[in-house]
């Protein structure tokens, strides 16, 4: 994968980077979003594909991007398709710092050392070319304003931005309410982006820890057997009893 095109994780992080403070918005959920963005980027590169609510490796060949290839190799080692919600919620946090260092190596941001309260060392990150961030933001704004279905990359970026809560950072206040709503609606324009975005939100809501339940209709109560082996039919109550009387 050449460097002529920015990856979705890179663009998501640049969107989250505050140009004034040099910090990232929604840091708690951004790691989840970056993990999801990796899946979308690998899908666009033809390396993985959705299999229901699971992710399957269809081409294990490296992309040439070390950070993406690390995720691809972890997926390959699973041996079987993995649920997106389990992958995103797995113990692989710290992606925000990994990608900030990655953007610094690529020359997209530069680190600024500082101190908090005059004691604790801190690091802020400033974009080296603000035109890049403006171009990313313009794509989202255009998709929101025109209502024209965006390209898959922009649709996936919008879905992930909504999933991690960047809407209130990008379109704050009451005046940004309609834009936040339309940002959320863009989730439907890319199936993979939608799958991953919903998985990110499920992890934040604790759904990943819950066991899956079959959605088949509940079975009728089974007949109970007496000690003599004669089955007892379930009790009829209410409408069932009245219907049986006729």
């Amino acid at each position: 994968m050449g460097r002529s095109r920015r990856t979705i994780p890179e663009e998501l992080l640049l969107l989250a980077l505050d140009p004034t403070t040099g910090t990232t918005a929604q840091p708690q959920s951004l790691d989840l979003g970056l993990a999801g963005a990796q899946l979308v980027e690998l899908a666009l590169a033809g390396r993985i594909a959705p299999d229901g609510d699971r992710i399957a490796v269809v081409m294990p060949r490296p992309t040439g991007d070390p950070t993406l290839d690390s995720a691809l190799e972890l997926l390959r080692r699973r041996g079987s398709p993995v649920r997106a919600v389990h992958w995103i919620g797995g113990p692989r946090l710290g992606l925000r710092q990994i990608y900030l260092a990655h953007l610094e190596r690529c020359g997209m941001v530069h680190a600024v050392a500082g101190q908090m309260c005059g004691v604790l060392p801190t690091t802020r990150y400033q974009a080296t070319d603000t035109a890049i961030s403006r171009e990313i933001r313009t794509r989202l704004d255009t998709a929101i304003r025109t209502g024209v279905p965006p390209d898959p990359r922009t649709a996936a970026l919008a879905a992930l931005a909504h999933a991690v809560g960047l809407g209130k950072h990008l379109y704050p206040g009451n005046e940004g309410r309609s834009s936040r709503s339309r940002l959320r609606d863009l989730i439907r324009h890319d199936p993979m982006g939608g799958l991953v975005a919903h998985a990110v939100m499920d992890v934040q809501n604790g759904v990943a820890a819950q066991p899956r339940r079959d959605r088949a209709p509940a079975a009728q109560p089974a007949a109970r057997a007496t000690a003599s082996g004669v089955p007892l039919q379930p009790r009829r109550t209410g409408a069932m009893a009245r219907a049986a009387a006729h």
Side-chain angles (χ1 to χ4, degrees):
M1 180 181 295
R3 294 304 305 159
S4 59
R5 172 177 285 176
R6 296 180 300 274
T7 65
I8 294 176
E10 292 169 355
E11 293 196 330
L12 182 65
L13 186 51
L14 287 172
L15 268 182
L17 193 62
D18 190 308
T20 303
T21 65
T23 60
T24 53
Q26 302 301 112
Q28 289 78 20
S29 58
L30 193 54
D31 276 339
L32 302 176
L34 290 171
Q38 287 184 319
L39 293 181
V40 177
E41 191 65 48
L42 287 171
L44 290 172
R47 299 318 196 261
I48 63 174
D51 181 6
D53 66 345
R54 297 175 182 267
I55 303 298
V57 175
V58 295
M59 184 188 298
R61 190 182 70 205
T63 65
D65 182 305
T67 313
L68 288 175
D69 289 340
S70 177
L72 179 62
E73 177 60 15
L74 288 174
L75 285 166
R76 186 193 66 79
R77 289 178 184 175
R78 294 291 184 98
S80 59
V82 59
R83 287 187 68 201
V85 69
H86 287 162
W87 169 261
I88 290 170
R92 291 171 299 96
L93 299 181
L95 278 179
R96 183 165 44 98
Q97 289 303 321
I98 291 173
Y99 266 102
L100 282 170
H102 172 71
L103 290 178
E104 187 178 16
R105 289 193 301 270
C106 294
M108 293 189 195
V109 302
H110 69 275
V112 179
Q115 288 184 331
M116 180 182 297
C117 300
V119 178
L120 299 176
T122 62
T123 303
R124 297 181 295 110
Y125 293 87
Q126 300 289 342
T128 56
D129 187 352
T130 56
I132 295 176
S133 297
R134 286 198 302 270
E135 184 271 330
I136 298 169
R137 176 68 179 270
T138 297
R139 281 165 40 214
L140 286 186
D141 290 345
T142 300
I144 288 173
R145 184 179 66 254
T146 64
V148 176
D151 63 274
R153 302 183 71 83
T154 302
L157 180 63
L160 288 161
H162 166 70
V164 302
L166 286 183
K168 59 187 177 183
H169 166 71
L170 299 171
Y171 307 103
N174 288 332
E175 63 275 15
R177 183 177 300 172
S178 61
S179 293
R180 293 195 299 271
S181 177
R182 287 193 286 269
L183 179 71
R184 179 195 61 216
D185 292 342
L186 291 176
I187 201 170
R188 70 183 187 274
H189 290 294
D190 179 60
M192 184 66 179
L195 167 66
V196 169
H198 282 297
V200 169
M201 290 185 284
D202 283 347
V203 172
Q204 295 180 81
N205 293 329
V207 176
Q210 299 176 5
R212 294 188 67 185
R213 297 179 179 177
D214 293 334
R215 296 184 180 180
Q220 294 295 324
R224 293 174 291 147
T226 64
S228 62
V230 179
L232 292 175
Q233 296 301 320
R235 293 180 60 191
R236 292 186 175 96
T237 59
M240 290 177 63
R242 289 192 296 273
H246 293 287

